[in-house]
Amino acid sequence: MPDRNSIIEKREAEKEKDKVVVLDFGGQYSHLIVRRCRELGVYTELLPYDMPLEELKKGIEAEEGTGKIKGIILSGSPFSVHEPNSPKCSSEILDLNVPILGICYGAQLIAYVKGGVVGEGRKSEFGRTELLFDDSDLFDGLTERGSEGGRINVWMSHGDVIERLASADIIGYTMNSPVAAFRISNIYGVQFHPEVHHTDKGEKILWNFLYKICGCERNWTIESFVRDKIKEIKSAVGSDGRVICGLSGGIDSSTTALLINKAIGDRLTCIFVDNGLLRKGEKEEVINTFRNNFKMRLVFVDAKERFLKGLQGVKDAEAKRMVIGELFINIFEEEAKKLGNVDFLAQGTIYPDRIESARARSGDVASRIKSHHNVGALPEKLGLKLIEPINDLYKDEVREVAKELDMPSQILNQHPFPGPGLAARVIGEVTEDKLRICREASYIVEEELKRSGWYNKVWQAFAIVGDDVTTGVLGDARSLGRIVTIRVVESREAMTADFVKLPYELLESMSKRITNEVKGVTWVTYAISSKPPATIEPC
Ligand code: XMP
């Protein structure tokens, strides 16, 4: 769950948009609720469930147009309200003068606080269920004209059931949930998940809450984001401030650089470090796009040797990440010093990164499975002020912004690539030879996917190489070669992933090409593990 302090600091630092806030009780769909509301045109933020009441009050009482909180959504949770350590917000939230929508656990929590009976795990419902509902603002437009109620299929995922809630109007029920939707004045609760596509007209239900019940105005479109952001950057940097930005060629740093370039032109200098862990052709692509196409100032640093040397003998995945992170910081620091006269450092932090690092800071172990390559120490080290223009955006929103800024399709549509680059895909020590195999084989995997129309349908695709060798026959002689593992996964936000059931013919042509074209490979395998328990990258 996001860290309170960072959010409070952010709030004080920026003039904000009016918003709806989602209090996060740890439910699997919390981020999805935020994204759905934004898709409907309302700026929405995810806040921790234990956000101080005073903070919320301040937002609710704020003037329109200054970050006013127009509504609160209570998310789902894996907990039961009866568990002693279950997350609970202050019950006084229900007395604030603001519309509230509780979803699943959120609805159960409202019912519990309002004296209702929440039955423990006796009549759980999972999957699609028919909801019978009465006319109400929340279900407005869902019924046939003139009828008093209707039925829709909704997505349920709950163990506990609200059995009675005397203080509420019951506006919906299912076979197993006598109180599947309720209303107490401007507080609503739904046991089902309107944010999930499997709920018929779920979008309309959320629309009703945002626009009809909370009275929100449409304030979140990509065009307005770009316009406002450029203005904001101009005023933050001032008329003679200078900015540097570490450019990796990925969508986040590329979009950050383009936005800042639009705002302040060549007072932005991008620093692009070739760490020797880049994909095939990536260096040329980045230089060509930013220097030649967008005519931006770009400092190119060839640091291949330094990284390879630093990684010599390092086998452990976490240790490799540390070496890479540290070297990057050192090189960046050197280049920034050479440039001199710099005031700001731009970073392509996105919304999920912010939430994840806040979770990590608060000691949530689940988020520290891999220490993602991050340069969090840089601004302090360099004594620079930080600009993070896309730190309110989800990945798909970043893509929309990039499109708006005419980002070339090669960068726009490429798969995510980890900060430690190919080192995340070379198991054990990173050597020049293993890097060559990983780079060439990955290129073949991507090329074959593009050729067959699969590239844009999958989340990530690459090759992995380790130290194991297997026997092969080369001509008439037996020879030893490495094993290359192909990993192709589908995912929405990388939190979970599944391997893609590619046609055998496609896997076969990848395998043939890899053993024929990449010297030193004898076997090719396909990774068929899902996340969890596996992760997407092997190290
Ligand atoms: P995992 O391997 O943790 O990856 O399932 C989830 C997503 O994050 C990317 N990834 C990284 N990105 N630095 C990054 O910037 C890293 O150290 C890192 N490790 C994994 C990965 O490619 C996938 O999209």
Side-chain angles (χ1 to χ4, degrees):
M1 286 162 222
D3 163 48
R4 245 178 285 129
N5 292 334
S6 67
I7 289 155
I8 296 167
E9 275 162 27
K10 181 179 175 289
R11 168 161 311 162
E12 281 163 3
E14 285 175 19
K15 180 172 179 297
E16 290 194 54
K17 285 182 188 307
D18 291 347
K19 70 190 78 168
V20 161
V21 300
V22 177
L23 295 189
D24 183 9
F25 292 89
Q28 57 177 328
Y29 300 129
S30 301
H31 275 297
L32 195 57
I33 302 171
V34 178
R35 286 183 39 196
R36 288 279 174 269
C37 295
R38 289 186 184 186
E39 276 164 19
L40 290 168
V42 174
Y43 181 61
T44 305
E45 278 192 357
L46 191 67
L47 299 184
Y49 70 91
D50 57 351
M51 193 71 190
L53 190 69
E54 279 314 306
E55 275 300 309
L56 292 173
K57 244 190 198 161
K58 232 198 289 175
I60 291 163
E61 287 162 7
E63 294 283 310
E64 298 266 345
T66 62
K68 185 175 178 64
I69 295 177
K70 307 275 290 184
I72 297 179
I73 298 178
L74 311 183
S75 82
S77 173
F79 286 87
S80 155
V81 289
H82 297 292
E83 286 175 69
N85 59 343
S86 60
K88 297 205 177 70
C89 56
S90 159
S91 60
E92 289 171 55
I93 286 179
L94 302 184
D95 302 326
L96 299 174
N97 189 21
V98 69
I100 292 179
L101 172 64
I103 295 178
C104 194
Y105 174 90
Q108 293 167 1
L109 189 61
I110 297 170
Y112 178 79
V113 171
K114 291 286 185 186
V117 178
V118 180
E120 268 180 275
R122 279 191 294 270
K123 289 182 183 164
S124 56
E125 285 175 299
F126 294 95
R128 268 164 96 89
T129 311
E130 192 179 48
L131 172 86
L132 281 81
F133 62 87
D134 291 339
D135 224 0
S136 79
D137 279 349
L138 194 62
F139 298 133
D140 190 54
L142 268 63
T143 46
E144 308 241 328
R145 208 177 256 179
S147 69
E148 301 263 288
R151 359 175 128 221
I152 48 168
N153 282 319
V154 297
W155 187 256
M156 289 286 195
S157 175
H158 62 106
D160 289 359
V161 173
I162 307 171
E163 288 172 354
R164 264 199 321 275
L165 184 53
S167 52
D169 295 330
I170 311 306
I171 54 173
Y173 57 93
T174 69
M175 275 275 278
N176 281 337
S177 284
V179 188
F182 63 82
R183 176 189 167 177
I184 308 167
S185 173
N186 62 352
I187 300 174
Y188 292 79
V190 289
Q191 182 58 76
F192 60 90
H193 290 274
E195 71 279 18
V196 169
H197 278 310
H198 306 292
T199 292
D200 294 342
K201 304 189 179 159
E203 225 173 62
K204 175 68 175 146
I205 296 170
L206 287 176
W207 190 97
N208 285 339
F209 179 69
L210 298 172
Y211 289 102
K212 233 181 144 63
I213 297 170
C214 299
C216 293
E217 287 191 1
R218 200 177 162 79
N219 65 355
W220 187 251
T221 63
I222 292 304
E223 302 80 52
S224 70
F225 172 86
V226 170
R227 210 179 38 240
D228 294 350
K229 213 27 109 177
I230 290 175
K231 243 194 261 166
E232 214 177 275
I233 297 167
K234 270 188 186 154
S235 99
V237 174
S239 56
D240 54 4
R242 292 184 179 274
V243 182
I244 48 171
C245 175
L247 189 65
S248 70
I251 186 83
D252 301 340
S253 64
S254 298
T255 305
T256 300
L258 263 188
L259 261 177
I260 296 178
N261 177 254
K262 285 260 184 282
I264 61 162
D266 65 6
R267 282 187 287 129
L268 164 73
T269 305
C270 295
I271 299 178
F272 173 46
V273 180
D274 181 356
N275 54 10
L277 307 168
L278 302 176
R279 282 170 284 199
K280 183 168 167 171
E282 197 164 13
K283 178 183 101 183
E284 295 74 15
E285 176 74 35
V286 172
I287 294 180
N288 186 43
T289 302
F290 291 91
R291 223 182 239 167
N292 305 339
N293 186 3
F294 288 121
K295 311 272 178 240
M296 286 164 56
R297 256 174 205 259
L298 179 84
V299 172
F300 171 69
V301 188
D302 183 350
K304 288 198 290 286
E305 298 296 321
R306 261 174 95 173
F307 277 86
L308 254 187
K309 212 162 151 223
L311 287 166
Q312 230 168 34
V314 186
K315 295 192 177 127
D316 174 70
E318 274 300 284
K320 285 193 274 186
R321 275 162 207 269
M322 294 303 151
V323 169
I324 294 166
E326 248 169 56
L327 265 174
F328 184 81
I329 289 180
N330 292 345
I331 293 171
F332 202 85
E333 199 179 354
E334 288 161 22
E335 295 303 318
K337 279 199 183 125
K338 275 190 220 162
L339 279 171
N341 194 18
V342 179
D343 315 278
F344 295 88
L345 171 73
Q347 273 181 6
T349 315
I350 67 171
Y351 196 60
D353 299 339
R354 217 171 88 200
I355 305 260
E356 281 310 309
S357 55
R359 278 182 177 164
R361 273 206 307 278
S362 70
D364 177 338
V365 275
S367 63
R368 293 211 59 90
I369 294 169
K370 282 179 195 174
S371 61
H372 278 204
H373 169 59
N374 80 64
V375 287
L378 256 177
E380 225 172 86
K381 239 185 149 187
L382 296 175
L384 298 177
K385 284 172 259 173
L386 191 59
I387 313 185
E388 297 178 306
I390 56 170
N391 68 359
D392 277 336
L393 302 185
Y394 284 98
K395 198 77 165 184
D396 48 356
E397 293 173 319
V398 177
R399 288 216 172 90
E400 292 294 313
V401 169
K403 229 189 273 174
E404 183 75 15
L405 296 170
D406 294 326
M407 187 78 77
S409 66
Q410 168 66 24
I411 293 181
L412 199 59
N413 299 322
Q414 71 187 340
H415 293 163
F417 190 57
L422 296 182
R425 297 165 183 182
V426 167
I427 300 172
E429 185 181 359
V430 178
T431 64
E432 219 167 336
D433 194 47
K434 280 157 83 183
L435 277 176
R436 171 188 62 81
I437 291 175
C438 185
R439 182 178 291 120
E440 292 296 327
S442 288
Y443 187 76
I444 291 173
V445 169
E446 291 197 13
E447 209 172 49
E448 285 298 310
L449 287 176
K450 284 177 187 160
R451 191 185 53 74
S452 57
W454 276 89
Y455 185 84
N456 288 331
K457 294 189 211 154
V458 307
W459 174 263
Q460 259 174 311
F462 50 87
I464 298 161
V465 67
D467 291 310
D468 286 344
V469 287
T470 47
T471 315
V473 267
L474 201 66
D476 289 334
R478 290 168 78 81
S479 69
L480 285 181
R482 291 193 194 271
I483 305 170
V484 160
T485 298
I486 299 171
R487 179 95 165 124
V488 184
V489 297
E490 53 196 8
S491 173
R492 278 195 74 117
E493 286 294 339
M495 300 305 281
T496 60
D498 201 0
F499 76 94
V500 179
K501 283 77 183 169
L502 289 178
Y504 279 141
E505 297 71 29
L506 181 54
L507 287 170
E508 187 181 9
S509 59
M510 287 177 185
S511 162
K512 271 195 178 146
R513 282 194 58 193
I514 291 172
T515 44
N516 286 343
E517 296 172 33
V518 188
K519 201 168 152 266
V521 181
T522 40
W523 283 35
V524 175
T525 62
Y526 191 50
I528 56 168
S529 297
S530 301
K531 173 181 179 173
T535 50
I536 295 176
E537 307 285 352
C539 30

